[in-house]
Amino acid sequence: MQKHLLLGVEAIGQGAIDGGMSGVYAYPGTPSTEITEYIQENELAKERNIHREWSANEKTAMETALGMSYAGKRAMVCMKHVGLNVAADAFVNAAITGVNGGLIVTVADDPSMHSSQNEQDSRFYAKFSMIPVLEPSNQQEAYDMARIGFELSEKAGVPVLLRITTRLAHSRAGVVRKELLDENTMVLPKDPRQFVLLPSIARKRYNMLLGNQDGYIQMAEESVYNKYIDRENKKLGIICCGIAYNYLMENYPEDDCPHPILKISQYPVPEKMIRKMEEECDELLVMEEGYPLVEEMLSDFFGRGKNVKGRLDGTLPRAGELNPDWVAKALGLPCTEGREIPELVESRPPALCMGCGHMDVYKAMNEALEVYGKGRVFSDIGCYTLGALPPYESINSCVDMGASITMAKGAADAGLIPSVAVIGDSTFTHSGITGLLDAVNEKSSITVIISDNESVSMTGGQHSSAEGKIEDICAAVGVHPDHIKVIIPHKKNHEEMVQLINEELAYEGVSVIVPRRECIQRAARMRRMAKAAKEN
Amino acid sequence: MKTDIILAGVGGQGILSIAAVIGAAALENNLELKQAETHGMSQRGGDVVSHMRISDQTIYSDLIPKGKADLILAVEPMESLRYLPYLSTEGYVVTNSTPFLNIDNYPELENVKAEIQKHKNVVLIDADKIAKEAGSVRASNIVMLGAASPFIGVDFEVLEKGVEAIFKKKGADIVNMNLKALRAGREFALAN
């Protein structure tokens, strides 16, 4: 059996291809980006002409995938956890419409916030929407679940959430591929009104969804991914969700855990298995990567039931990703630790790359804003968020995709004039356009700086939906053409840029400045690729 | 056989290439492998780490437990110290002595080296200098891999094959330069 060395995200990409997927839809976001990138580069995906272009945002991705499902084919949507907030309207309602072709929503959560604003747990969204969840514990399961997830979705009649976290996403291991499945042929839904969520139809569909819940639990009871491992010592029963199972086994490498173990990798939770554990064991320990979802379900509010240990009672830390050391401690096993980190070791935060155009923007903007004082710059999600750190300390907010423009407008409404928004090109087309429309409609005194490096850079230089379109979009939204200014952010243009920003700050209305220079990482990569192509 | 390695450095210094070579070598030897790495924001000049585990048995955790690593392989001296809690008392620190200076408050290099030398098993090597002699300072990560090669638990020939496989796309000159760097690193470690 040949093993392929794959990251968790790559295993999902391969699994989806081998599972007969006809299209992947996604917006880049760490730690989910490489699923789509893997599919984009895959020869079989090219041969099958699987759809694999980037979408403008997670909502358009989710809806487009639902459209492909409507037409009978298998589709996957990929995003990071906060992307699911953007896609939530479509995601929740897709549980009511149900699917035609299998639909997998792959969401990569980021506990410990390695590259994110929060550590929300997507399993809550699935519970809220009442759809099944697959949560792999290792790379092989990630592959297998992406491959069979379409079939599960078709059987359940709803989308399936495939939930991973950063650690599995970005860890490599050997994966064995299985038989390649055919794509579905195009076929319309049997019921032409299935996807029409008029209240009268939605009520019917919702009742169907409610009626299907017992079936979903039964699927989880019978799932090959959930297993009850019986052991002698019933003083404690251990429930492990997803990757937590590995951390438990790391502490018992000879498979000699004395306590019964319930491994959960498919939800809704297998009720019979949990009841069996509760009946047999004196107390329970729940270990899950993310929020204490299962623990909260099992914990007794009035304290009359059996003791449930986990993140809520402090047996495990409440926040952050799990690790084998925390799990050892929770099990009362001895922990080793090497030498302490010497005091002289300094932190090394990420920084803008040498020569990055965002730096020139911040230098000029800081200078132009000096007369107005600090505290009036609203920013967004991207490399330029690093402008919050020294030496620039230029920005005062970073909340969610697109919030720079809308927060600047709100602050201007409150009297903070001028207010400034700093947003990247791709973030602008992801979620900035509608906010700009609000500002134009009310003639808000805001200056919007769209720092355009012509790529989605923070996630590795993917194609930006905004490329070549920004001025046209701004004009179409209604920004006056005299106040749409483009400049090259470069040392030699510093004075000119300061003057330009000054002029637009003084303008009472919406102005847009587009400092445009290609991301230097992307430019260097392009040069290397061109050179390699020439040599070969 | 089981080797747990912490690969440490700064985003952009090429620790993922080192990991890729070891990974290819482990696969060639039919070993189990897990390798967790840092993607995303930290790659912009922040500290990055990769947990690399090789074994002839099943590997469960993607992360190495504290106090259990056999080797810290660092391409930057201060970064070798950041992961000391992971190193076992008998483990090796193999580190580049050339600092990567992208912060204003970088400690005195002599003090950093003194902290490194406090550990029992240390290989401190000027990888940048040796890489330059081999052809390009960009191969310093592969010099470091060579310096760590006696402690990885994989045959050196298999690592050489791994280097060939990883750099094949970039042409024969790049492959040969990296092989030279790999061997020079190993020679230094064996001689010191």
Side-chain angles (χ1 to χ4, degrees):
Chain A
M1 255 186 316
Q2 199 201 342
K3 278 195 175 176
H4 303 264
L5 195 54
L6 296 177
L7 292 172
V9 274
E10 295 171 339
I12 289 173
Q14 188 65 55
I17 294 167
D18 293 350
M21 174 183 71
S22 298
V24 65
Y25 295 89
Y27 181 81
T30 313
S32 71
T33 313
E34 302 88 343
I35 303 171
T36 306
E37 287 186 323
Y38 181 86
I39 296 166
Q40 287 172 341
E41 295 299 318
N42 185 274
E43 288 306 320
L44 181 56
K46 288 178 193 168
E47 208 176 286
R48 283 192 163 188
N49 200 21
I50 292 174
H51 175 276
R52 53 193 188 280
E53 296 295 320
W54 294 107
S55 303
N57 68 31
E58 293 86 354
K59 179 173 182 283
T60 66
M62 177 74 214
E63 291 158 351
T64 320
L66 188 62
M68 182 170 269
S69 164
Y70 171 93
K73 296 207 175 182
R74 293 177 163 181
M76 180 182 274
V77 201
C78 309
M79 61 194 77
K80 68 182 294 170
H81 58 338
V82 287
L84 189 51
N85 299 333
V86 178
D89 201 357
F91 177 78
V92 176
N93 289 328
I96 314 283
T97 63
V99 301
N100 186 21
L103 176 56
I104 302 178
V105 183
T106 302
V107 184
D109 292 352
D110 189 19
S112 283
M113 302 178 230
H114 299 281
S115 297
S116 306
Q117 306 83 46
N118 73 29
E119 58 172 40
Q120 68 185 58
D121 186 328
S122 300
R123 295 176 302 163
F124 277 88
Y125 263 112
K127 188 165 185 285
F128 180 56
S129 308
M130 292 178 278
I131 63 169
V133 180
L134 295 168
E135 188 187 14
S137 68
N138 59 37
Q139 291 78 354
Q140 184 66 51
E141 277 190 355
Y143 169 85
D144 292 341
M145 287 173 171
R147 184 171 163 278
I148 61 92
F150 298 111
E151 196 189 315
L152 178 66
S153 164
E154 285 159 10
K155 201 171 147 204
V158 290
V160 167
L161 177 76
L162 176 55
R163 188 247 186 181
I164 54 167
T165 56
T166 304
R167 196 52 59 192
L168 181 59
H170 291 161
S171 176
R172 231 177 275 277
V175 171
V176 179
R177 278 179 67 186
K178 295 183 176 148
E179 184 200 341
L180 172 67
L181 305 178
D182 288 333
E183 291 178 67
N184 286 357
T185 45
M186 199 177 78
V187 56
L188 293 178
K190 280 193 199 91
D191 172 5
R193 299 200 300 181
Q194 180 191 331
F195 287 79
V196 187
L197 293 186
L198 276 169
S200 58
I201 303 170
R203 276 192 286 271
K204 233 178 273 169
R205 299 274 332 162
Y206 181 54
N207 277 321
M208 263 176 71
L209 179 65
L210 293 173
N212 285 339
Q213 294 304 305
D214 286 347
Y216 299 162
I217 295 170
Q218 193 53 36
M219 286 177 186
E221 304 280 1
E222 291 162 9
S223 167
V224 293
Y225 305 114
N226 293 339
K227 57 180 179 184
Y228 195 99
I229 305 160
D230 204 8
R231 292 288 155 84
E232 284 297 308
N233 187 334
K234 316 281 190 201
K235 281 194 175 134
L236 183 72
I238 304 170
I239 297 174
C240 295
C241 302
I243 201 170
Y245 177 72
N246 292 349
Y247 298 136
L248 175 75
M249 295 304 286
E250 178 70 26
N251 283 288
Y252 296 107
E254 307 298 323
D255 198 10
D256 52 356
C257 177
H259 306 291
I261 303 164
L262 172 54
K263 170 186 178 287
I264 299 181
S265 278
Q266 182 173 332
Y267 307 72
V269 291
E271 286 184 6
K272 274 187 213 146
M273 290 181 178
I274 292 180
R275 285 189 199 288
K276 177 176 151 78
M277 181 167 272
E278 195 266 351
E279 278 160 22
E280 288 183 357
C281 299
D282 297 346
E283 55 179 5
L284 303 180
L285 169 61
V286 185
M287 302 198 281
E288 44 199 329
E289 181 85 305
Y291 288 6
L293 174 122
V294 175
E295 186 185 349
E296 218 167 65
M297 284 170 71
L298 305 185
S299 296
D300 179 5
F301 183 87
F302 295 104
R304 290 171 193 147
K306 280 189 181 162
N307 194 25
V308 179
K309 301 197 289 185
R311 285 185 185 266
L312 291 172
D313 77 333
T315 302
L316 287 161
R318 175 64 182 80
E321 70 166 316
L322 294 175
N323 60 52
D325 306 303
W326 285 2
V327 167
K329 200 167 161 237
L331 294 164
L333 298 172
C335 294
T336 51
E337 185 147 357
R339 253 172 75 195
E340 272 180 40
I341 304 172
E343 263 180 37
L344 60 81
V345 175
E346 296 290 348
S347 65
R348 201 190 292 262
L352 291 169
C353 308
M354 293 294 285
C356 170
H358 293 318
M359 290 181 178
D360 297 291
V361 173
Y362 283 135
K363 272 182 211 157
M365 189 188 76
N366 280 359
E367 199 174 316
L369 277 168
E370 251 169 43
V371 289
Y372 298 99
K374 285 194 170 292
R376 49 182 78 235
V377 182
F378 302 87
S379 193
D380 232 297
I381 318 273
C383 291
Y384 48 92
T385 315
L386 296 169
L389 306 176
Y392 304 103
E393 301 181 84
S394 299
I395 63 168
N396 307 104
S397 80
C398 158
V399 181
D400 66 271
M401 295 287 281
S404 56
I405 298 176
T406 30
M407 283 183 72
K409 180 188 180 297
D413 289 349
L416 189 72
I417 294 173
S419 286
V420 181
V422 177
I423 186 169
D425 48 314
S426 171
T427 307
F428 175 65
T429 44
H430 178 290
S431 288
I433 302 171
T434 44
L436 185 64
L437 180 62
D438 278 350
V440 167
N441 286 345
E442 293 190 39
K443 298 185 175 56
S444 304
S445 277
I446 64 168
T447 302
V448 179
I449 298 178
I450 305 177
S451 196
D452 180 8
N453 57 14
E454 302 178 300
S455 84
V456 191
S457 297
M458 181 62 98
T459 46
Q462 293 76 22
H463 177 256
S464 164
S465 299
E467 199 172 332
K469 299 187 176 69
I470 292 174
E471 295 93 299
D472 287 347
I473 290 171
C474 294
V477 163
V479 180
H480 195 285
D482 290 349
H483 294 281
I484 302 174
K485 300 280 175 64
V486 181
I487 189 164
I488 299 169
H490 201 280
K491 252 188 215 139
K492 63 178 187 222
N493 296 340
H494 177 74
E495 292 308 324
E496 195 188 337
M497 193 154 45
V498 174
Q499 196 192 336
L500 178 65
I501 297 172
N502 261 325
E503 283 167 16
E504 297 308 327
L505 286 174
Y507 172 62
E508 290 177 15
V510 179
S511 38
V512 173
I513 299 170
V514 188
R516 174 174 296 138
R517 180 151 67 80
E518 189 184 18
C519 163
I520 59 151
Q521 293 285 354
R522 184 183 156 100
R525 202 163 40 247
M526 292 296 175
R527 273 199 304 275
R528 280 200 300 273
M529 276 164 64
K531 196 176 160 213
K534 212 168 145 191
E535 278 170 10
N536 289 337
Chain B
M1 173 271 165
K2 177 167 164 289
T3 310
D4 284 338
I5 308 167
I6 296 276
L7 297 166
V10 179
Q13 277 196 304
I15 69 166
L16 295 186
S17 297
I18 301 179
V21 174
I22 302 176
L27 219 58
E28 175 84 22
N29 273 8
N30 283 321
L31 294 169
E32 293 283 319
L33 168 98
K34 276 203 173 176
Q35 183 233 326
E37 55 196 43
T38 316
H39 289 208
M41 200 171 216
S42 302
Q43 285 177 298
R44 301 270 168 272
D47 52 277
V48 291
V49 62
S50 172
H51 289 227
M52 178 121 210
R53 318 191 72 187
I54 309 167
S55 176
D56 53 11
Q57 308 284 320
T58 303
I59 303 165
Y60 288 102
S61 171
D62 299 87
L63 293 171
I64 299 168
K66 284 187 177 157
K68 296 283 172 67
D70 303 292
L71 169 66
I72 290 177
L73 201 184
V75 292
E76 206 282 341
M78 185 178 79
E79 295 307 322
S80 76
L81 299 171
R82 200 183 298 282
Y83 306 98
L84 281 177
Y86 286 94
L87 192 63
S88 78
T89 39
E90 296 304 311
Y92 273 80
V93 177
V94 179
T95 180
N96 188 0
S97 61
T98 311
F100 187 90
L101 300 170
N102 66 341
I103 50 171
D104 296 335
N105 52 349
Y106 195 94
E108 282 295 325
L109 186 59
E110 288 316 307
N111 297 343
V112 172
K113 286 184 182 172
E115 282 291 347
I116 293 168
Q117 294 293 3
K118 276 186 197 168
H119 199 75
K120 191 169 148 195
N121 302 316
V122 173
V123 178
L124 191 62
I125 170 173
D126 190 344
D128 288 37
K129 185 169 151 240
I130 294 175
K132 225 176 274 170
E133 287 162 9
S136 167
V137 70
R138 289 188 58 184
S140 75
N141 56 341
I142 301 301
V143 172
M144 288 312 306
L145 175 60
S149 63
F151 318 110
I152 292 176
V154 175
D155 291 341
F156 187 66
E157 294 71 35
V158 184
L159 284 179
E160 287 182 315
K161 269 195 211 164
V163 167
E164 282 170 28
I166 298 301
F167 292 103
K168 201 168 63 188
K169 267 195 283 185
K170 296 185 177 171
D173 289 353
I174 300 285
V175 169
N176 289 332
M177 192 258 290
N178 277 290
L179 283 174
K180 209 171 149 190
L182 183 78
R183 287 167 196 148
R186 182 178 176 87
E187 275 164 29
F188 180 93
L190 292 177
N192 286 275

